[in-house]
Amino acid sequence: MAELIDGKAIAQEVRDEVREQVAAWVAAGHEPPGLATILVGDDPASAVYVGGKQKASAEAGIRGFDHRLGADAQHEEVRALLHQLNEDPEVNGILLQLPTPPQVDGAALTEEINPAKDVDGLTPISVGLLAKGRPGLRPCTPLGILELLRRHDVQLEGAEAVVVGRSDLVGKPVAALLLAANATVTVCHSRTQDLRAVCRRADILVAAVGVVDLIKGEWIKSGAVVIDVGMNRADGKPTGDVEFEAARDRARLITPVPGGVGPMTIAMLMRNTLEAAKAAAR
Ligand code: NAP
């Protein structure tokens, strides 16, 4: 039976490390890193996400700039704030919480974030740097997945990795990171023929789909490492994309939902913010 990958504990380790590194950075005479969040409107889930990021920043010694605009804020008003933050030397990372209300084009505004402050790693410049294998800020959830694999000493070089899902947020960047680590990567999506056969080849299987139990336990290669990114609800409970119990019988390592990939995202956001501050000082 597979060992569980404890994302909660690993995320805490990363956050503790970032806190120590921030303290050392400040002790060396630098300004603390700064993370600005922009929340437009009053979507309760978005408010919880932003609150979590601000709380994590405070715990890490990162200065938080918590910008909240009303649901009737206009596109140009949000854009002006974003450009002001782009220029502000105290701000090293900028997050525009999505979704935004319909009159604000959140996707277009995200592309206007200064790439040096793009701690979500989602601007075209950051995506291009990742595709080219050049240094840059990487998306947080995919970075968190790589961190879980590294902390469990999972051999990536030469491994057969299968990523199910090709979103800009998770699937594509995690595939690029695995490729950069010299895995042999296959990316599956809704038009993939015979998903079962592809998954059965995987030494490392990353499921980032958003469909409860799409990946069947019997599709898991014996001894595989299974990373379940799905955050779904079934019978009122958080549930991933993988048939957990059946997969656990065959896998070597597996992430639970909740407590697997989920907690890593904020931890890697903290690390990205510190990296952005260090790069800005160079
Ligand atoms: P998304 O943008 O909806 O993308 C889903 C992907 O799954 C698409 O590429 C889609 O294919 C593919 N897909 C859908 N049905 C499929 C099927 N039957 N067979 C094979 N592939 C299929 O989702 P996302 O943003 O990547 O998120 C995926 C999941 O991860 C969600 O549950 C989300 O909540 C979760 N998530 C978790 C975290 C975290 O833990 N921190 C962060 C982000 C996302 P097409 O491209 O062909 O449509």
Side-chain angles (χ1 to χ4, degrees):
M1 190 189 271
E3 182 190 337
L4 292 185
I5 297 179
D6 186 346
K8 219 171 145 191
I10 295 174
Q12 191 57 53
E13 278 171 35
V14 171
R15 285 168 67 162
D16 290 346
E17 287 164 15
V18 172
R19 193 182 62 240
E20 285 162 21
Q21 289 162 11
V22 166
W25 178 249
V26 172
H30 299 280
E31 288 296 314
L35 177 66
T37 52
I38 306 175
L39 175 63
V40 188
D42 38 26
D43 177 58
S46 294
V48 169
Y49 291 140
V50 167
K53 290 166 189 175
Q54 286 295 341
K55 183 165 171 276
S57 298
E59 282 170 16
I62 291 171
R63 199 183 281 164
F65 300 90
D66 188 355
H67 293 275
R68 302 198 177 213
L69 286 79
D72 56 353
Q74 294 302 305
H75 182 85
E76 282 308 317
E77 183 185 350
V78 185
R79 186 161 183 265
L81 171 61
L82 188 77
H83 281 267
Q84 182 197 316
L85 298 171
N86 273 346
E87 301 302 322
D88 186 341
E90 290 189 341
V91 171
N92 302 110
I94 302 172
L95 288 180
L96 174 63
Q97 186 66 44
L98 300 178
T100 50
Q103 76 280 10
V104 177
D105 186 344
L109 288 177
T110 297
E111 299 205 353
E112 293 189 36
I113 291 173
N114 178 348
K117 302 186 179 188
D118 176 24
V119 285
D120 258 346
L122 297 175
T123 62
I125 298 279
S126 300
V127 174
L129 291 172
L130 171 59
K132 287 182 76 69
R134 285 178 36 198
L137 291 162
R138 313 302 195 207
C140 299
T141 303
L143 261 190
I145 293 169
L146 269 284
E147 195 66 31
L148 293 177
L149 295 171
R150 291 218 174 89
R151 296 214 181 205
H152 277 272
D153 292 323
V154 174
Q155 164 95 16
L156 301 179
E157 185 163 329
E160 185 94 37
V162 172
V163 178
V164 188
R166 57 172 165 180
S167 69
D168 290 345
L169 190 62
V170 189
K172 283 182 201 158
V174 81
L177 289 171
L178 288 165
L179 186 61
N182 296 319
T184 300
V185 184
T186 306
V187 181
C188 301
H189 46 78
S190 65
R191 259 52 73 77
T192 296
Q193 309 246 346
D194 204 352
L195 189 59
R196 172 182 185 269
V198 185
C199 290
R200 289 192 81 140
R201 295 206 306 261
D203 300 315
I204 300 167
L205 179 67
V206 180
V209 181
V211 175
V212 175
D213 290 351
L214 175 75
I215 310 293
K216 308 298 173 210
E218 61 103 8
W219 297 4
I220 307 300
K221 180 176 169 180
S222 176
V225 176
V226 178
I227 305 289
D228 190 349
V229 191
M231 282 202 314
N232 318 301
R233 290 196 89 78
D235 302 328
K237 285 196 207 130
T239 313
D241 292 340
V242 178
E243 252 184 11
F244 179 77
E245 292 303 336
R248 195 178 180 192
D249 282 343
R250 300 173 70 98
R252 174 171 77 82
L253 283 168
I254 188 166
T255 56
V257 177
V261 175
M264 294 303 292
T265 303
I266 284 188
M268 303 319 286
L269 175 65
M270 298 300 112
R271 187 194 277 177
N272 270 356
T273 304
L274 173 60
E275 294 303 321
K278 288 187 172 175
R282 271 185 215 124

